[in-house]
Amino acid sequence: MSISLLVSYNDYQRSTFMNSSSTMVGYMMEKKSEFTEYFHLKDANLQLMEENAKLRSMLNESQYEKIKSNEYVLDSNKIPQYTYRAAKVINSTVQLQDNFMTINRGSNDGIRKDMGVTNGTSIVGFVKDVSPHYATIISVLNKNFVLSVKLQKTNDHGLINWEGIDDKTVVLKGITVDAPVEPGDTVVTKGSSARFPEGVLVGTVKEVYQKPGSMHHTIIVNLATDFSAVFHVYVIENHLRDEQMELEASIKNEVIKP
């Protein structure tokens, strides 16, 4: 009662009390906002992933450019070739000989077998099996993963494969010894597998050597992806994949007669 009377009938004390009260209320509201924001980070992150997937699908490298004669048609005639779908990694391994991941997206979300997977910057793997709500991914750190790649500066190309030892590196083979290769050179996807667009980052050259009598380099590549910290990925749908696969299969199955 004394405090109430003091505040009610004295201008200075009333002003001081109101200022202190406002400061306290403001502080409490700020902390409440921070607390609420923290517990909504998951939803905000998923929203950003979905927005990024849509934006990536709109990039030039995700478009197929129609060609008429030997000249490129205007950009307005481009059609979407790649669509990106965001997904969360719910299980993964890095220490096995055949590592894999499981994501929380499946056939109900448009995920299909053999689609390429990235972390938004560099390669992660490709889809192996799909159920309505989940999909498993063959990681780059899997002996069954093979991908055609190229040196960014020269376009010389070969195949990468993991040898099951170091989860930070893969081996690149198939590039001839006359091709200039140096540590630090960038390695990217070649774009011929129909899983990935051309130019997706793979890593950088760590070491180059030649085995006795070999006509090709053996190149150790530092992977750009840290597979111990992959929590969200993008699954890439190539809308022209079936057409490419069907055409290539017809050549392989054709019997060439003399």
Side-chain angles (χ1 to χ4, degrees), residues 175-186:
I175 295 181
T176 57
V177 293
D178 59 344
V181 188
E182 298 177 347
D185 287 349
T186 301

Side-chain angles (χ1 to χ4, degrees), residues 17-184:
F17 176 80
M18 294 299 294
N19 287 339
S20 300
S21 177
S22 298
T23 300
M24 180 61 69
V25 170
Y27 175 80
M28 296 300 294
M29 293 297 292
E30 181 181 358
K31 291 304 176 184
K32 178 185 177 182
S33 176
E34 292 176 357
F35 184 79
T36 303
E37 182 180 1
Y38 175 80
F39 283 98
H40 284 81
L41 284 177
K42 178 180 178 181
D43 294 335
N45 189 49
L46 290 176
Q47 182 179 353
L48 286 173
M49 289 288 292
E50 295 292 344
E51 291 176 357
N52 285 337
K54 292 178 182 178
L55 290 172
R56 287 184 177 279
S57 299
M58 297 169 62
L59 293 174
N60 281 335
E61 55 264 34
S62 298
Q63 312 294 313
Y64 174 77
E65 196 161 25
K66 296 180 181 179
I67 299 176
K68 186 176 182 180
S69 299
N70 291 324
E71 297 180 356
Y72 287 99
V73 180
L74 295 176
D75 290 348
S76 60
N77 284 333
K78 288 182 178 179
I79 60 175
Q81 181 174 355
Y82 297 98
T83 296
Y84 293 76
R85 292 181 173 86
K88 180 180 179 181
V89 177
I90 60 174
N91 189 23
S92 65
T93 64
V94 294
Q95 301 299 332
L96 304 178
Q97 289 293 306
D98 297 313
N99 293 289
F100 70 94
M101 297 179 181
T102 304
I103 60 174
N104 66 339
R105 294 289 183 266
S107 57
N108 288 352
D109 305 292
I111 307 300
R112 293 194 298 163
K113 187 175 181 179
D114 284 331
M115 287 183 175
V117 182
T118 77
N119 64 357
T121 303
S122 51
I123 64 171
V124 170
F126 66 88
V127 177
K128 176 64 169 62
D129 294 305
V130 182
S131 69
H133 302 100
Y134 301 97
T136 54
I137 297 169
I138 293 293
S139 159
V140 174
L141 305 180
N142 189 305
K143 291 184 296 183
N144 295 315
F145 182 92
V146 179
L147 182 67
S148 179
V149 300
K150 66 178 183 177
L151 298 172
Q152 189 176 54
K153 72 175 184 180
T154 64
N155 284 329
D156 290 288
H157 58 87
L159 298 174
I160 59 167
N161 184 237
W162 188 55
E163 294 192 329
I165 302 173
D166 183 2
D167 63 0
K168 300 291 191 298
T169 63
V170 291
V171 178
L172 169 56
K173 298 180 180 179
I175 295 181
T176 57
V177 293
D178 59 344
V181 188
E182 298 177 347

Side-chain angles (χ1 to χ4, degrees), residues 4-16:
S4 177
L5 290 172
L6 182 66
V7 170
S8 298
Y9 294 100
N10 294 275
D11 292 337
Y12 175 77
Q13 284 80 359
R14 182 167 59 250
S15 175
T16 301

